[in-house]
Amino acid sequence: MLEVSGLVAGYGQITILREVELRVGQGELVALVGVNGAGKTTLMKTIAGLVSPAAGRISFDGAGLTGRGAERMVQAGVVLVPEGRMVFPRMTVWENLMLGGIHPRPRPHREATLRRVLDLFPRLAERREQKAATMSGGEQQMLAIGRGLMAEPKLLMLDEPSLGLSPLMVQETYAALRRLNAEGLTILLAEQNVKLSLAVSTRGYVLENGCIVLTGASGDLARDPATRKAYLGRL
Amino acid sequence: MRDKPLLPPGAWSWLLFLLAALAPPLMSSSWINIGILTMLFVYLCVAWNIVGGIAGQFCVGHSLFLAAGAYTSTLLAIHFGVTPWIGMFAGAAVATLIGLFIAWLSFRYALPPLSFALVTIALAMLGYLAISSIDLFGASRGLTLPVRGTPAAYQFKNDVTYYFVISAHAIGAITLSAWLYHTKIGLYLRAIRDNERAAHAIGVPVLKYKMLAMGISAALTGLGGVFYAQYLQYVEPRTFASINIVIEIILFTVVGGAGTVWGPVVGPMLLVPAGELLRHELGGGLPGAHLLAYGLLLVVVIRFAPDGLLGALERGRQAWRAMRLAKETSPQ
Amino acid sequence: MSNEVLLQATVQGLQMGAIYALIALSMTLVFSVGGLLNFAHGDFMALAMYGAMVAYVSFKIDAYVVAPIMFIIFFALGVTLFRGLVRPVLAAGVLAGAQLTLGLVFVQENLILVLFGGDYNNVPTVLSNRNLTIPPLVMPWTLIVGSALAAALSIALYVVLLRTDFGRQVRAIAQNRDAAALMGIRIDRIQAIAFGVGIGLLGFTGPVIVAQFTLTPTMGFDLTLIALIVMVIGGIGNFLGSMAGGLIIGVAESLGSLLYGGTVGAMIPYAILVFVLLFRPHGLLGER
């Protein structure tokens, strides 16, 4: 579904991504691992349309979408749950979720989607009228994922969902992701936590200093000492 | 905001500027008046730039300093017969005190930049309203200087002399500004401007340097106020204490390129004569027409060169260099 | 000082306060969504008032009829300015945007000067010189209608922001722009509309209260400063705060003028501003 080739991107004069190649097929759960600063967030933001690439190609479902901007990506069905959650702090859970479905494509089914999301995350249903800023990290993460789901994504991307979460919340979140993938949702998952992400995914990419240095089946990557070496970087 | 000097050792800039400073004998009388105004604004813009551009503290209260200088020396002259040559130091002192007070107040309470700007606006307005209503300051009518006509009383028969005096002021201010810029002080101020928290973290005494910048800027502006009073031979709130003149100073500096050494020189040297010319062409028939054209010009410049003319020039240079480099390294 | 006079001044202050509140609200809209600190805000309203004068003098159209037309014109003006001028300049930073508006102040004030001269002007409306007397208060109808409309618009704006999808998008952009982009929200479009509404409101409010003011070319900047003060006192981005702040400033100014004279009355809002900025920088009610 998602094909990224030769991607070069950065901020101003600083280049972060160097010729990145990436592929996510329908129904897959693909992991993107790398240390802090490897460029995972930049890659996610570039695919999501927040950052305009200097070179390379991004295509989704056969359509070329390079540098088209976030709105176009959401239109195509590519939705990013960003690093740090980025929930709207002074709005309630309900308002955050409603905003998730505000794009014209998912908007007509918004009410139905909302019910499904609240079924998936009962904790959110309990806190419907609570302001997002007052929720715990784990609850905010659920809200951010729920908000992403409201846009009826064909590909859901998550940037470090386990960051700052308690182990229990991490388990719950990953269980939800597994369930969603089992139901057919294609997922691209960026994580610092190698063990966790490779355990739940079928394939993986290892990103180091803006380049893809390893790729393969998750099981293979997990056992490969090269992964650990790339992951630890040059210490 | 760019912080690289445009011309390598600054020699060319100095040459050009000194030529302008020494030009008066070649200029007709109407041009000399424009020249005086231009040099005055160069001086005031360089002064503002020290705290507003280099230190990055957007202060809109400089009308207070201008008025402090002008009114102090004028009152001393009127009531005690003190010559403004001495009075100007008193004026500068008053201005500096006000400036340090404002700086201390704002920076001690850690006002974010927007709030700081608003506080300075509010204080400037309070100053204007106060001066306009207190009789000691002549209220809204202002005060007229006692006419002595002697250089000892800072009054000259020949406008050319005024021109040389203000040019000397300007040269002094630019020298000070350039010196500050290239020494440790300037480095600290620019560090504070670019990232205050980082500067604080590496040990820069932020409050002290902000106050230093403000104090210098206020003192210089105060001296400028004295000159202006002596040139006009009167003081009144609308000219000296209103926000209008500060807005002009800021706009000229921004158009030239705030935060650089020569930006606050280039800005007024282009815009003040342009404004006066426009006034001559259009102002006769329609009052305000020249200011309107002026405003449009400023809006256009800000629209297409938001980091000032010097910034745009610098970008142009870099683009040209990049193009030449590409030509040289491309295979033939 | 008799109680009646104090009461009169207070009521008048509240009414003017409602008007200040609306100006501050439209300014907050432009600032928190558009990211622009608009020093020329009051000048737009002044422009609208002069427009009402033209309509009355040249076409004999009453200001109240002109107001809705002005809304549309100024809405279009706001959108155009945003797309052509504000958005490109804001790419260089908030300060650049503020400096742009200072340039606009120049343009607008002198445009008025050129077109209408520096004399003071007054624009009568059908309601001029008519008062409503509820003893012991004597209230000019122009102020009653003006403040009532301002209050109604403020409430309407508040409701739109809180309950409609458009309002939610506006708030989303103000709270986290990147996240809003990730929802597929068309940021530029919403910003342009919000900007247009902000300016359009000024276009509407100007004629509606024109009979209450004496028109001068520099009146706009004074209004801008008052709006800034209200915005800061109420807490930037806090809509309820702006409404409360407007009322506070209106009453403070009115009572101050009554008790201490015009100049001191004019100084009070600035003094309050300095006080708030130093000791309660998040506004009396906290930022939103």
Side-chain angles (χ1 to χ4, degrees):
Chain A
M1 289 183 103
L2 175 72
E3 294 204 14
V4 173
S5 58
L7 201 64
V8 177
Y11 306 101
Q13 307 275 40
I14 307 172
T15 307
I16 309 264
L17 301 176
R18 306 159 205 281
E19 309 257 333
V20 169
E21 297 251 349
L22 182 60
R23 203 173 266 119
V24 180
Q26 176 130 23
E28 287 195 287
L29 206 171
V30 177
L32 176 69
V33 300
V35 293
N36 213 6
K40 303 190 300 299
T41 300
T42 310
L43 180 55
M44 296 298 240
K45 278 189 178 175
T46 310
I47 298 176
L50 282 183
V51 174
S52 216
R57 246 188 125 251
I58 302 174
S59 73
F60 188 73
D61 266 354
L65 291 171
T66 322
R68 295 292 293 276
E71 196 261 331
R72 186 68 187 84
M73 297 314 283
V74 172
Q75 165 82 19
V78 177
V79 178
L80 171 65
V81 178
E83 187 191 14
R85 275 120 17 209
M86 287 208 211
V87 292
F88 298 113
R90 294 185 284 270
M91 297 204 206
T92 64
V93 165
W94 182 80
E95 286 181 305
N96 268 278
L97 291 174
M98 289 297 269
L99 274 173
I102 207 155
H103 189 273
R105 186 177 51 79
R107 184 111 161 244
H109 333 125
R110 207 164 44 160
E111 301 292 329
T113 315
L114 181 64
R115 272 189 298 257
R116 281 214 315 275
V117 167
L118 291 179
D119 279 340
L120 185 62
F121 296 115
R123 263 199 230 214
L124 291 181
E126 286 164 32
R127 291 164 171 59
R128 234 176 104 114
E129 299 302 322
Q130 189 176 338
K131 290 247 159 67
T134 62
M135 302 200 314
S136 74
E139 289 161 351
Q140 285 188 3
Q141 187 60 63
M142 271 196 266
L143 176 58
I145 297 178
R147 195 178 60 174
L149 290 172
M150 291 294 298
E152 292 186 357
K154 294 188 190 158
L155 166 68
L156 185 67
M157 303 196 295
L158 296 108
D159 195 352
E160 306 230 27
S162 71
L163 204 60
L165 261 53
S166 66
L168 182 63
M169 290 308 313
V170 171
Q171 296 294 0
E172 275 195 50
T173 308
Y174 270 72
L177 291 178
R178 237 186 248 112
R179 197 153 70 234
L180 287 165
N181 181 242
E183 287 169 9
L185 181 62
T186 313
I187 296 180
L188 175 62
L189 180 62
E191 268 288 6
Q192 277 188 66
N193 190 330
V194 186
K195 215 172 70 172
L196 205 52
S197 48
L198 288 181
V200 76
S201 55
T202 46
R203 273 197 309 122
Y205 290 89
V206 179
L207 192 66
E208 187 191 3
N209 283 331
C211 299
I212 301 280
V213 293
L214 280 178
T215 177
S218 296
D220 296 339
L221 285 178
R223 287 185 290 267
D224 191 343
T227 305
R228 196 170 313 144
K229 183 158 155 277
Y231 186 80
L232 289 174
R234 359 160 219 94
L235 275 176
Chain B
M1 295 187 181
R2 317 217 51 97
D3 61 352
K4 294 212 294 284
L6 178 58
L7 299 171
W12 282 111
S13 325
W14 271 118
L15 203 60
L16 284 168
F17 186 73
L18 286 171
L19 272 174
L22 297 170
L26 307 166
M27 298 178 351
S28 71
S29 66
S30 54
W31 271 100
I32 291 189
N33 284 306
I34 297 180
I36 294 175
L37 215 56
T38 307
M39 281 298 172
L40 176 63
F41 271 99
V42 166
Y43 176 76
L44 292 174
C45 288
V46 171
W48 183 85
N49 187 52
I50 291 177
V51 70
I54 299 178
Q57 309 302 308
F58 201 77
C59 174
V60 194
H62 276 57
S63 53
L64 287 169
F65 311 142
L66 200 72
Y71 274 85
T72 306
S73 76
T74 304
L75 284 172
L76 284 175
I78 293 179
H79 293 282
F80 299 106
V82 177
T83 165
W85 288 112
I86 299 181
M88 75 183 189
F89 291 106
V94 174
T96 310
L97 282 173
I98 298 178
L100 288 175
F101 175 67
I102 296 178
W104 175 80
L105 207 60
S106 319
F107 304 140
R108 185 209 172 288
Y109 284 94
L111 290 181
L114 177 60
S115 302
F116 174 66
L118 289 178
V119 164
T120 56
I121 294 179
L123 289 173
M125 287 300 294
L126 283 172
Y128 172 76
L129 288 169
I131 292 180
S132 307
S133 54
I134 299 182
D135 284 328
L136 178 65
F137 298 131
S140 50
R141 288 176 328 275
L143 303 164
T144 330
L145 263 99
V147 178
R148 299 281 153 74
T150 67
Y154 206 144
Q155 291 172 11
F156 313 109
K157 293 200 187 60
N158 197 337
D159 274 347
V160 177
T161 319
Y162 277 109
Y163 185 92
F164 280 128
V165 170
I166 191 62
S167 295
H169 275 73
I171 292 175
I174 299 176
T175 310
L176 178 63
S177 165
W179 175 78
L180 268 182
Y181 188 90
H182 288 112
T183 61
K184 188 178 80 169
I185 302 179
L187 195 62
Y188 280 2
L189 290 177
R190 279 180 286 141
I192 294 173
R193 174 192 74 197
D194 291 334
N195 191 333
E196 189 174 317
R197 232 181 273 162
H200 183 70
I202 63 175
V204 174
V206 172
L207 179 61
K208 193 171 109 182
Y209 274 87
K210 280 187 182 179
M211 287 180 69
L212 180 67
M214 186 70 116
I216 296 178
S217 185
L220 289 176
T221 309
L223 290 176
V226 174
F227 171 84
Y228 203 22
Q230 297 306 121
Y231 177 58
L232 293 177
Q233 306 254 356
Y234 66 86
V235 292
E236 53 115 35
R238 211 116 46 109
T239 316
F240 286 84
S242 78
I243 288 206
N244 291 331
I245 197 165
V246 190
I247 293 181
E248 283 179 32
I249 294 173
I250 295 178
L251 278 172
F252 296 160
T253 312
V254 166
V255 166
T260 67
V261 173
W262 291 99
V265 178
V266 168
M269 288 200 81
L270 285 174
L271 293 175
V272 174
E276 293 299 303
L277 272 173
L278 282 171
R279 189 215 296 271
H280 277 261
E281 296 298 310
L282 301 172
L286 295 166
H290 67 290
L291 285 175
L292 173 60
Y294 210 36
L296 287 170
L297 178 67
L298 287 169
V299 167
V300 166
V301 170
I302 296 179
R303 163 71 175 84
F304 293 107
D307 47 353
L309 291 173
L310 282 193
L313 237 79
E314 184 62 33
R315 273 183 283 134
R317 274 179 99 221
Q318 284 184 347
W320 190 61
R321 266 202 218 120
M323 213 171 60
R324 288 190 72 193
L325 193 64
K327 265 208 208 117
E328 282 165 19
T329 57
S330 71
Q332 275 300 20
Chain C
M1 199 108 294
S2 69
N3 283 334
E4 281 104 22
V5 181
L6 277 174
L7 183 62
Q8 176 90 3
T10 309
V11 169
Q12 200 147 335
L14 283 173
Q15 290 171 318
M16 278 309 290
I19 294 168
Y20 290 156
L22 184 62
I23 305 177
L25 279 181
S26 63
M27 194 166 192
T28 306
L29 193 60
V30 163
F31 179 65
S32 52
V33 176
L36 180 73
L37 184 61
N38 189 8
F39 283 111
H41 207 67
D43 281 299
F44 282 104
M45 191 155 116
L47 216 57
M49 291 202 217
Y50 272 91
M53 183 178 85
V54 168
Y56 177 77
V57 167
S58 308
F59 304 108
K60 297 281 179 273
I61 305 177
D62 193 77
Y64 294 108
V65 174
V66 159
I69 306 175
M70 281 292 175
F71 178 85
I72 298 175
I73 298 178
F74 274 69
F75 177 83
L77 179 65
V79 172
T80 313
L81 278 178
F82 181 78
R83 289 224 158 101
L85 217 51
V86 175
R87 188 159 37 121
V89 170
L90 278 179
V94 182
L95 209 55
Q99 287 155 356
L100 173 72
T101 60
L102 284 179
L104 283 177
V105 169
F106 252 105
V107 170
Q108 280 170 300
E109 292 196 351
N110 290 292
L111 184 65
I112 293 175
L113 193 60
V114 165
L115 291 176
F116 303 106
D119 297 329
Y120 292 12
N121 283 295
N122 281 291
V123 181
T125 67
V126 289
L127 292 178
S128 288
N129 302 320
R130 303 233 226 116
N131 297 320
L132 174 68
T133 312
I134 303 178
L137 299 170
V138 179
M139 299 177 287
W141 267 113
T142 54
L143 189 54
I144 297 177
V145 170
S147 60
L149 277 172
L153 279 175
S154 299
I155 296 175
L157 185 62
Y158 188 64
V159 167
V160 164
L161 281 170
L162 235 55
R163 297 232 179 277
T164 65
D165 267 341
F166 174 75
R168 275 181 219 120
Q169 290 179 73
V170 165
R171 284 155 61 213
I173 296 175
Q175 287 178 31
N176 191 327
R177 202 196 141 115
D178 274 349
L182 290 176
M183 314 275 100
I185 292 177
R186 294 166 63 184
I187 310 244
D188 284 335
R189 190 156 169 270
I190 304 281
Q191 280 182 320
I193 297 179
F195 203 80
V197 169
I199 305 291
L201 280 175
L202 293 172
F204 182 85
T205 313
V208 155
I209 56 167
V210 71
Q212 202 56 34
F213 286 89
T214 305
L215 271 56
T216 73
T218 54
M219 67 189 300
F221 196 64
D222 294 326
L223 284 171
T224 304
L225 290 178
I226 302 269
L228 266 174
I229 296 173
V230 171
M231 201 169 80
V232 168
I233 290 180
I236 297 185
N238 185 339
F239 283 83
L240 281 177
S242 288
M243 292 200 242
L247 296 176
I248 293 174
I249 291 292
V251 173
E253 195 187 42
S254 182
L255 287 179
S257 297
L258 178 68
L259 297 171
Y260 303 110
T263 313
V264 175
M267 283 168 88
I268 288 185
Y270 297 109
I272 297 181
L273 176 66
V274 174
F275 182 84
V276 168
L277 280 172
L278 290 179
F279 301 113
R280 290 220 56 148
H282 297 294
L284 296 175
L285 292 174
E287 284 185 28
R288 247 181 63 98

